[in-house]
């Protein structure tokens, strides 16, 4: 009962206006003319967002830690700092035409939960860490969820150190510039023990809003496979080079993309198949392209379906018989994940106790929580976003829903931090 009483006090101390003010302050960093944000990983905007978070944390006497891939941790001490902390958080980086809430909401909801604990005068047994995971979106540097993947020991980020962004800047250089902006940060190691992990996030889909729900208790996340296809041909004159002598990378790409789209047809409409990046070189109307690079982002709730389609993609590339060279790389892989039933139940209990309208839900978007679920019991809390729009500057949420999700988060954190 003590836990639940303290949980209720923490939830009641969540300050909707303060939460929203910090969210809007963060939304100013990288703000775009259309009302979204452009805060690419390790960019000046990402650095500025981290500085805002660190200033807020230091104002409250929390401990601030960083690690080698740029993950940022804010720790509110507990009675027993020798015990593994409870962790919550999300990411500060955004898509190029991102919204103000994807990732940002989970980090600021975590901060607001700590501030509510302060205001309620609550001391927890365990410390509570709020984390901003680095490079979650993967839109500047592939793969996404790199910070949490490195922390969880799932990926060695150094394998991607030479990955370049569209300006030719390497991940290693962008990361070094970001870390150099925080020379005094105490270093945390990867994979330190965590008692449990919660992530609050906007749904990035239409269900909660359509059903007038305030909070979603996430039971599972669909799997993701990310590929890149690189085609190498030869530049040649568009007017003088006969078809038989061409090694036209665009012709090869069109053929491959037609076959790929054909296997991605899904009568059940549960498969998500996106070619989101397409680069062409030299990109001149009267020179046959010598290089094409394009990405495939494929998601489905069944691992076996993803395995089968991955094998079909490999077969299509292997079966290419034209004059160009085609290479397929697997950049990103997140398994279908079911969250820890004990954590899902605890979040659902907190939602019921808070009196908010809630329902169980499944996530079509991927999250850092999928990586961290490898280390400890994990769960997620969703709040609605307008028309389910995300990865779009029109992404929008309400102060009321943001606060409702944060109350469920605060209560759940207290219960876990007093175990
Ligand atoms: O792509 C995703 O699902 C996440 O929003 N980065
Ligand atoms: Mn996100
Ligand atoms: Mn996203
Ligand atoms: Mn995420």
């Amino acid at each position: 009962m003590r836990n639940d009483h303290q949980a209720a006090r923490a939830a009641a101390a969540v300050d909707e206006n303060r939460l929203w003010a910090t969210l809007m302050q963060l939304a100013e960093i990288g703000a775009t003319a259309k009302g979204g944000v452009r805060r690419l990983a390790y960019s000046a905007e990402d650095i500025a967002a981290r500085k805002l978070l660190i200033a807020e944390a230091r104002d409250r006497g929390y401990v601030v830690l960083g690690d080698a891939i740029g993950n940022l941790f804010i720790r509110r001490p507990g009675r027993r700092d020798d015990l593994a902390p409870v962790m919550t958080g999300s990411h500060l980086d955004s898509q190029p035409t991102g919204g103000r809430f994807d990732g940002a909401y989970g980090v600021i909801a975590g901060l607001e939960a700590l501030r509510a604990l302060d205001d309620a005068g609550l001391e927890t047994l365990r410390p509570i860490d709020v984390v901003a995971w680095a490079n979650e979106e993967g839109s500047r540097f592939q793969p996404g969820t790199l910070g949490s993947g490195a922390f969880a020991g799932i990926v060695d980020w150094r394998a991607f150190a030479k990955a370049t962004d569209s300006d030719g800047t390497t991940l290693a250089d962008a990361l070094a510039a970001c870390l150099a902006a925080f020379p005094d940060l105490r270093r945390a190691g990867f994979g330190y023990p965590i008692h449990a992990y919660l992530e609050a996030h906007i749904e990035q889909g239409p269900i909660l809003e359509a059903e007038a729900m305030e909070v979603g208790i996430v039971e599972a996340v669909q799997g993701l496979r990310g590929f890149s296809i690189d085609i190498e041909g030869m530049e040649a004159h568009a007017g003088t080079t006969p078809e038989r002598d061409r090694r036209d990378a665009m012709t090869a790409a069109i053929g491959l993309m037609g076959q790929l789209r054909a296997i991605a047809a899904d009568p059940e409409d549960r498969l998500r198949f996106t070619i989101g990046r397409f680069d062409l070189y030299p990109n001149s109307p009267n020179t046959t392209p010598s290089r094409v690079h394009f990405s495939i982002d494929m998601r489905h709730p069944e691992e076996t379906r993803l395995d089968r389609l991955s094998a079909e993609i490999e077969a299509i590339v292997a079966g290419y018989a034209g004059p160009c060279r085609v290479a397929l790389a697997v950049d990103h892989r997140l398994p279908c994940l079911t969250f820890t039933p004990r954590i899902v139940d605890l979040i659902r209990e907190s939602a019921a106790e808070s009196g908010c309208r809630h329902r169980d839900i499944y996530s079509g978007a991927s999250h850092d929580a999928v990586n961290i679920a490898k280390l400890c019991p994990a769960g997620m809390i969703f709040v609605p976003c307008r028309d389910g729009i995300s990865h779009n500057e029109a992404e929008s949420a309400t102060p009321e829903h943001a606060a409702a999700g944060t109350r469920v988060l605060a209560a759940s954190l207290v219960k876990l931090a007093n175990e």
Side-chain angles (χ1 to χ4, degrees), residues 253-283:
I254 291 167
L256 286 167
M257 290 164 102
Q259 293 177 74
L260 291 165
R261 280 271 25 134
I263 66 162
D266 175 17
E268 297 174 315
D269 190 18
R270 296 171 76 208
L271 174 67
R272 300 288 175 262
F273 187 94
T274 309
I275 295 177
R277 170 165 289 156
F278 187 93
D279 301 316
L280 185 69
Y281 180 84
N283 207 18

Side-chain angles (χ1 to χ4, degrees), residues 89-91 102-103 133 136-137 145 197 199 201 204 365-369 380:
S90 194
H91 58 94
D102 177 1
W133 296 115
E136 192 274 351
E137 292 291 2
T145 68
Y197 177 77
E199 180 165 350
H201 208 286
Q204 299 178 296
S366 69
H367 297 284
D368 295 303
M380 289 190 77

Side-chain angles (χ1 to χ4, degrees), residues 160-175:
F160 301 96
K162 292 194 172 47
T164 55
D165 66 7
S166 50
D167 301 335
T169 306
T170 65
L171 166 59
D173 288 348
L175 170 59

